[in-house]
Amino acid sequence: MKIVCNTAALTEASSNVQRAVAAKSINPTLEGIRIKTTDQGIELSGYDLEVGITTLLDAGKAKEGGIVLNAKTFCDILRRLPADNVTVETDDKQRCTIRSGDTEYRITGMDIAEYPDLPYVMGGSPMVLPQSVLKNMIRQVIFAVSTDESKNVHRGVKFELSPGHLSLVALDGYRLAIRREEVEYTGEEMTFVVPAKTLSEVIKIIEDEDGYLSINLDKKHIVFGLNGYQIVSRLLEGNFLDYAGAIPKQFETEVRVDTREFIESVDRMAPLSNEKFKTPLRCVFADQSLHFYSNTTLGSASDRINVNIKGPDVEKGFNSRYLSEAFRAIDSDQALIRTNPQAVSPACVFPVSGDSFFYMILPVRMPNDNG
């Protein structure tokens, strides 16, 4: 194989493909980037058996063939090359020479035949979405994905598709995040769960905020097509929690808050709360004010912001990080917190109008203190 192409383009493409390369594997080819020539150009692939990223590059000159090169070594070399163009040439013993200007590297590659095939998705018509819409939807729910390996299906985001509507759902047993959008979809209703790891890679590659991406899937895999890349992933299997039954049907107390003021006030409590001192943040909704109290072995703190309250006063404890992450995901200036006086009733966060997002955070039992 011999290819000649733009150094910057090859470096960027290889760095993006490297995101799907296994950090460590009993199969060393999975720690590499597969490079091969095709009729369309140079194909680069990374694949860790769960997520795969593939892209095509134009080649000024190309001689048919392919090789697998250790991803870290190859990308480190590319970032250091001095000239605008680079030549990558291999022989039949998997030896690879990389030249750019007066710089030359010789490294040992791996047989492309040992590299596993990426899944091929044969679905129907792909769904097309604005990249900015999906990026925002993912960003506004992915923080609530579970990290518990015992319930693997909750380590992903559930997509709920129906004609004209798309909802993304994430939960971890302590909180729930839902993001909804109207979309141009006319197919049948369907649900599937995409690993959070895959979605993290998707939003990293989204750069063209005005562009579109395609989504295609079969029973076991999904493919995102965007900006010249194909990101393929297995879907998560299992029974996703029937979360609808956990959402309260009625609320006695409604609190209208300024999003930025809420975040800043919660942040002011942070110096006294960390991974070692996980005392809940006491929240008191009363007298058209929201009072925050933090009391740990490090000391105590309090703060207050003005809010608009309808209904009875409420006092509860919450994980401060869960509150902060939910409100940081909100794009609007204001939001509604709805809850009930009962100790076990969660805090549910809604937009002031519409139903574009929904966050639910379970309360934490407060220790006996003087806060």
Side-chain angles (χ1 to χ4, degrees), residues 18-29:
Q18 188 184 15
R19 300 181 190 278
V21 171
K24 185 176 292 186
S25 174
I26 58 173
N27 180 354
T29 63

Side-chain angles (χ1 to χ4, degrees), residues 177-297:
I178 304 175
R179 182 69 169 82
R180 305 180 180 94
E181 278 286 347
E182 294 184 0
V183 295
E184 295 183 7
Y185 175 74
T186 58
E188 61 183 17
E189 291 188 8
M190 66 171 69
T191 63
F192 50 90
V193 182
V194 184
K197 174 184 175 182
T198 303
L199 297 177
S200 294
E201 301 308 332
V202 168
I203 61 177
K204 288 174 185 174
I205 291 178
I206 290 178
E207 294 179 353
D208 184 2
E209 295 293 331
D210 295 325
Y212 286 80
L213 58 80
S214 64
I215 300 175
N216 209 345
L217 70 154
D218 58 21
K219 291 183 178 180
K220 292 188 175 182
H221 295 92
I222 187 168
V223 175
F224 296 88
L226 66 155
N227 298 338
Y229 292 87
Q230 296 286 318
I231 303 174
V232 61
S233 169
R234 64 181 179 85
L235 297 172
L236 295 180
E237 299 179 353
N239 295 319
F240 201 88
L241 181 70
D242 183 11
Y243 59 87
I247 299 174
K249 301 296 186 289
Q250 295 181 330
F251 300 95
E252 296 181 46
T253 300
E254 179 181 277
V255 185
R256 185 166 180 156
V257 302
D258 181 279
T259 306
R260 178 50 51 189
E261 287 183 0
F262 184 96
I263 294 170
E264 291 174 350
S265 189
V266 171
D267 284 351
R268 285 192 282 270
M269 301 293 100
L272 300 183
S273 179
N274 53 41
E275 288 302 309
K276 186 177 181 180
F277 304 102
K278 295 184 178 181
T279 305
L281 182 65
R282 185 188 296 275
C283 305
V284 180
F285 303 87
D287 302 322
Q288 302 305 310
S289 298
L290 169 53
H291 299 263
F292 290 113
Y293 299 98
S294 179
N295 195 333
T296 74
T297 56

